[in-house]
């Protein structure tokens, strides 16, 4: 029995033989995460070692590429169970263990990406064999990962490992950040009553405002007290300032040094090489051209906002400084929408309770893509608020995958909105297809005692956009894990979602996603027509500022 056959046989006997199962587990304890991390590294390294030991004349597609592709599936799935909890687990110890696992595995990734012995066998296969297009693509991608082995130096490896570790720490600090400010009701003037009542009271007439999106954006958009907006905006944009500033001071020189060692003038030119832009000069030229085209519009919108600001400062007795400060921008952009297009976001959001938006969004995607979504009863999840759905092809009934919805903020959770690919939809070594699994993680406003979670139109757009990534992850049918779902060229990764998000600017789908939280009525035509008309509002000022 050859080494390649040995590898393939072991993979066939692995736990990933059932194609239609979600094999992800979310109840691992910190010690289990640490143990499983080391086990995963050991068995993955064993496959790389076996490939690297092959005699050149015995190199075949089966004992190199197929062996590496097989372990890549297992590695991808098990890694998700180990490093995803850092973003969503309610247990701080689990999040810490998951972060450590991510660091350990990232170090290992660098080690494997610079295996010259494996690289040489891939190159030999590339030259000596006739492969179909899919296999050639995998070989080319694998070769590009190993290309640095040609100029392999200990310094490059150490830099890449350190950069990875710093990036993980940077994100961990943001996830764990829990700063809040305390304001009186007067300092929160002009904010709607439902927002005020949703805040935690510290003492009589004193309210706790966090830096999470459901607090930050309403205050920046609606609070008429400039000093409140200034304090919150500065706190938001200096989150983790001390620890993350130190990380950046260490990270930026390392990136520059790595680019220099690899023959690039800047880090930007290094990361752009495989993109359409290729070099920073092309990016600069594109932005300059865009700036020139938007300059006149931006100046007009800027003048309009300054007029609004001066008028309000005169009326309220605030000092007018003649500038659009960072804490002014969202506030006066919101006023512009209200004045020019008669858009009342507070009234509009009453038609978009999250249950209605979710139902409408899921129906639209099912209709568009020919799918059926079925909610799973009593799912195995990482938090009680998380839901799980199975996705089927509506014409064949075939199970394509599953997705989790984790929609509300909590302490230690990832602070933005994103789709996480957790299980790749790809072929297994025995020819069956593994079902794809993804998680949509957002931070929408929680329901209160007297109101459900109500979404602003911008949040509906975010929901629709990120769910587009989920569908990309589920519907992609690839041979190899490394090309599964959103693992595509950087220039393309946002394209499906950017196309899908256009539906939130059309009256019919907006009606389908709307249902007033009190009487169940759909958003009226005149309100939706005003919303659609406002689509290009503030386009110039956003770019200029």
């Amino acid at each position: 029995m050859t080494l390649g056959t040995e590898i393939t046989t072991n993979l066939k006997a692995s736990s990933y033989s059932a194609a239609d199962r979600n094999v992800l587990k979310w109840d691992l304890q910190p010690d289990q995460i640490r143990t499983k991390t080391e086990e995963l590294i050991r068995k993955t390294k064993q496959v790389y070692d076996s490939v690297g030991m092959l005699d050149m004349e015995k190199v075949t597609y089966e004992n190199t590429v197929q062996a590496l592709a097989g372990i890549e599936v297992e590695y991808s799935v098990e890694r998700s169970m180990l490093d995803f909890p850092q973003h969503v687990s309610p247990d701080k110890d689990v999040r810490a263990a998951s972060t450590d696992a991510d660091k350990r595995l990232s170090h290992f990734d660098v080690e494997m990406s610079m295996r010259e012995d494996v690289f040489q066998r891939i190159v030999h296969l590339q030259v000596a064999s006739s492969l179909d297009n899919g296999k050639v693509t995998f070989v080319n991608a694998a070769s590009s990962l190993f290309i640095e082995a040609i100029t392999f130096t200990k310094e490059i490896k150490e830099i890449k490992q350190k950069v990875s570790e710093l990036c993980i720490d940077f994100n961990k600090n943001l996830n764990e950040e829990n700063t809040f400010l305390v304001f009186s009701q007067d300092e929160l003037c002009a904010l709607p009553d439902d927002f005020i009542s949703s805040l935690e009271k510290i003492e009589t007439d004193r309210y706790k405002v966090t830096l999470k999106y459901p607090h930050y954006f309403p205050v920046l958009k609606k609070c008429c007290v400039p000093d409140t907006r200034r304090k919150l905006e500065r706190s938001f944009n200096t989150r983790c300032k001390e620890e993350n500033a130190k990380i950046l001071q260490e990270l930026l020189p390392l990136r520059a040094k790595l680019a220099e060692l690899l023959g690039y003038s800047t880090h930007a030119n290094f990361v752009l090489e495989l993109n359409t832009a290729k070099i920073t000069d092309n990016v600069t030229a594109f932005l300059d051209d865009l700036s020139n085209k938007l300059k006149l519009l931006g100046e007009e919108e800027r003048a309009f906002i300054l007029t609004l600001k001066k008028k309000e400062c005169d009326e309220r007795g605030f000092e007018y400084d003649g500038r659009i400060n960072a804490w002014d921008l969202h506030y006066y952009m919101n006023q512009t929408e209200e004045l020019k297009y008669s858009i009342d976001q507070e009234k509009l959001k009453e038609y978009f309770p999250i249950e209605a938006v979710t139902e409408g969004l899921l129906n639209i995607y099912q209709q568009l893509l020919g799918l059926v979504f079925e909610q799973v009863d009593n799912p195995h999840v990482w938090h009680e608020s998380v839901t799980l759905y199975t996705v089927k092809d509506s014409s064949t009934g075939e199970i394509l995958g599953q997705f989790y919805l984790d929609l509300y903020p909590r302490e230690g959770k990832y602070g933005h909105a994103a789709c996480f690919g957790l299980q790749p939809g790809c072929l297994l070594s025995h020819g069956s297809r593994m079902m794809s699994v993804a998680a949509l993680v957002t931070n929408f406003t929680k329901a209160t005692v007297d109101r459900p979670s109500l979404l602003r139109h911008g949040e509906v757009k975010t929901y629709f956009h990120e769910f587009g990534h989920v569908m990309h992850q589920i519907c992609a049918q690839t041979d190899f894990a490394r090309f599964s779902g959103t693992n595509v060229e950087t220039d393309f990764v946002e394209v499906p979602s950017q196309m899908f998000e256009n539906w939130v600017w059309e009256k019919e789908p907006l009606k389908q996603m709307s249902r007033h939280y009190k009487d169940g009525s759909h958003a009226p035509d005149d309100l939706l027509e005003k919303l659609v008309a406002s689509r290009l509002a503030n386009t110039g000022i956003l770019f200029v500022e």
Side-chain angles (χ1 to χ4, degrees):
M1 182 180 291
T2 67
L3 284 170
T5 306
E6 220 167 44
I7 295 166
T8 307
T9 302
N10 288 339
L11 287 173
K12 284 183 178 178
S14 75
S15 59
Y16 300 92
S17 57
D20 60 347
R21 285 198 301 119
N22 176 345
V23 300
L24 300 162
K25 299 185 183 300
W26 305 118
D27 53 4
L28 298 179
Q29 297 304 303
D31 286 345
Q32 293 175 298
I33 289 174
R34 286 186 279 270
T35 300
K36 286 183 174 293
T37 298
E38 296 308 316
E39 289 175 355
L40 180 58
I41 288 172
R42 178 191 54 75
K43 64 185 173 184
T44 305
K45 185 177 182 299
Q46 185 177 19
V47 174
Y48 274 77
D49 288 345
S50 298
V51 172
M53 291 166 56
L54 287 169
D55 293 337
M56 286 297 186
E57 61 272 15
K58 292 184 179 179
V59 167
T60 65
Y61 171 79
E62 288 73 21
N63 63 20
T64 54
V65 171
Q66 187 170 315
L68 294 171
I71 194 62
E72 196 170 70
V73 177
E74 189 165 349
Y75 183 81
S76 174
V77 175
E78 293 201 20
R79 177 162 184 160
S80 292
M81 290 187 274
L82 299 172
D83 69 6
F84 179 61
Q86 70 183 299
H87 303 296
V88 296
S89 174
D91 188 314
K92 188 170 184 178
D93 291 336
V94 170
R95 293 197 302 271
S98 177
T99 300
D100 290 340
D102 193 9
K103 290 181 183 178
R104 183 79 176 92
L105 292 167
S106 295
H107 273 235
F108 177 69
D109 290 343
V110 174
E111 292 274 359
M112 294 305 100
S113 73
M114 300 184 74
R115 288 283 298 260
E116 188 171 5
D117 53 351
V118 175
F119 170 73
Q120 294 296 348
R121 281 145 186 83
I122 294 290
V123 170
H124 178 81
L125 180 68
Q126 206 169 8
V127 173
S129 301
S130 176
L131 304 172
D132 63 42
N133 288 338
K135 293 173 181 177
V136 167
T137 304
F138 183 93
V139 169
N140 289 340
S143 298
S144 69
L145 288 179
F146 298 126
I147 198 71
E148 290 161 12
I150 294 175
T151 55
F152 169 49
T153 67
K154 182 181 178 183
E155 187 175 11
I156 288 176
K157 183 169 73 173
E158 289 176 348
I159 290 174
K160 286 170 69 83
Q161 289 176 332
K162 186 61 178 177
V163 164
S164 175
E165 185 177 321
L166 290 170
C167 289
I168 292 168
D169 282 337
F170 189 96
N171 288 323
K172 176 194 173 186
N173 291 338
L174 289 174
N175 286 349
E176 296 293 338
E177 186 278 329
N178 58 5
T179 301
F180 65 88
L181 287 76
V182 177
F183 296 108
S184 67
Q185 187 154 358
D186 287 343
E187 291 174 308
L188 298 172
C189 182
L191 281 157
D193 292 340
D194 68 306
F195 177 81
I196 299 295
S197 64
S198 73
L199 298 176
E200 180 183 339
K201 256 191 177 182
I202 302 298
E203 53 190 74
T204 305
D205 194 41
R206 304 286 289 174
Y207 297 90
K208 176 180 175 181
V209 177
T210 72
L211 303 182
K212 306 300 182 186
Y213 285 172
H215 287 181
Y216 175 72
F217 282 114
V219 172
L220 265 287
K221 289 181 178 183
K222 295 296 291 185
C223 181
C224 68
V225 183
D227 199 47
T228 300
R229 300 197 308 269
R230 178 185 63 80
K231 289 176 181 176
L232 193 65
E233 188 275 335
R234 285 190 171 175
S235 295
F236 180 85
N237 286 308
T238 55
R239 288 168 295 162
C240 311
K241 178 181 176 181
E242 297 301 322
E243 55 269 49
N244 278 357
K246 291 176 182 176
I247 288 175
L248 289 175
Q249 287 168 358
E250 191 174 356
L251 177 63
L252 297 180
L254 286 173
R255 282 182 168 177
K257 182 63 177 176
L258 179 61
E260 179 189 342
L261 289 170
L262 295 173
Y264 297 89
S265 57
T266 64
H267 170 72
N269 278 325
F270 169 46
V271 298
L272 281 173
E273 185 185 38
L274 297 180
N275 293 3
T276 302
K278 299 297 182 187
I279 57 173
T280 52
D281 288 348
N282 292 335
V283 176
T284 302
F286 172 78
L287 293 176
D288 287 345
D289 180 58
L290 191 60
S291 178
N292 289 333
K293 290 176 179 176
L294 290 173
K295 185 177 180 181
L296 181 60
L297 177 61
E299 288 174 349
E300 290 174 358
E301 291 176 351
R302 187 174 189 277
F304 183 79
I305 284 178
L306 285 174
T307 301
L308 290 181
K309 181 175 179 178
K310 187 175 189 313
K311 181 174 182 292
E312 183 170 42
C313 286
D314 290 345
E315 290 174 351
R316 295 184 180 275
F318 297 139
E319 181 183 351
Y320 175 68
D321 60 7
R323 297 195 300 266
I324 302 175
N325 301 298
W327 53 90
D328 294 327
L329 190 58
H330 286 292
Y331 179 71
Y332 288 106
M333 282 171 54
N334 187 66
Q335 282 200 14
T336 298
E337 291 177 6
E338 292 177 353
L339 290 169
K340 284 189 173 183
Y341 301 95
S342 301
I343 299 294
D344 184 345
Q345 291 288 353
E346 295 306 312
K347 180 180 179 181
L348 185 64
K349 75 178 186 182
E350 293 180 359
Y351 289 94
F352 292 108
I354 197 165
E355 293 81 8
V357 174
T358 300
E359 180 184 327
L361 177 149
L362 296 182
N363 286 336
I364 289 169
Y365 272 101
Q366 288 175 95
Q367 294 166 18
L368 279 175
L369 301 177
L371 302 172
V372 174
F373 301 154
E374 298 176 353
Q375 187 167 352
V376 177
D377 294 328
N378 302 313
H380 172 62
V381 292
W382 52 88
H383 188 267
E384 60 187 10
S385 65
V386 177
T387 53
L388 176 65
Y389 292 79
T390 296
V391 181
K392 295 181 179 179
D393 186 312
S394 61
S395 60
T396 66
E398 177 191 359
I399 294 177
L400 301 178
Q402 291 188 323
F403 62 85
Y404 301 91
L405 297 181
D406 186 351
L407 303 178
Y408 306 106
R410 58 181 175 270
E411 188 174 347
K413 181 183 168 184
Y414 178 80
H416 303 284
C419 167
F420 292 83
L422 302 175
Q423 186 170 295
C426 62
L427 291 179
L428 298 172
S429 58
H430 50 71
S432 62
R433 181 171 295 281
M434 171 170 273
M435 62 179 274
S436 183
V437 181
L440 177 57
V441 178
T442 63
N443 286 274
F444 297 136
T445 305
K446 290 181 179 180
T448 61
V449 174
D450 56 349
R451 274 193 173 193
S453 170
L454 301 176
L455 301 187
R456 291 174 173 270
H457 180 257
E459 292 176 307
V460 176
K461 178 183 170 185
T462 295
Y463 200 170
F464 219 89
H465 175 100
E466 296 301 338
F467 195 79
H469 289 306
V470 173
M471 290 295 94
H472 188 181
Q473 179 73 24
I474 299 293
C475 296
Q477 302 253 321
T478 63
D479 290 351
F480 299 104
R482 71 174 53 203
F483 305 130
S484 175
T486 55
N487 293 318
V488 296
E489 299 290 351
T490 305
D491 288 321
F492 183 77
V493 70
E494 293 295 331
V495 171
S497 285
Q498 288 174 337
M499 289 191 293
F500 283 132
E501 74 179 42
N502 283 296
W503 291 96
V504 305
W505 293 105
E506 298 285 338
K507 193 163 68 171
E508 183 181 341
L510 281 171
K511 269 189 174 295
Q512 193 171 340
M513 289 187 286
S514 70
R515 186 170 65 236
H516 197 282
Y517 80 98
K518 287 184 178 178
D519 60 19
S521 61
H522 291 300
D525 287 347
D526 63 331
L527 189 60
L528 295 180
E529 285 165 3
K530 291 172 184 176
L531 175 64
V532 172
S534 73
R535 181 172 187 174
L536 299 180
N538 302 305
T539 301
I541 193 70
L542 272 174
F543 189 85
V544 172
E545 293 296 317

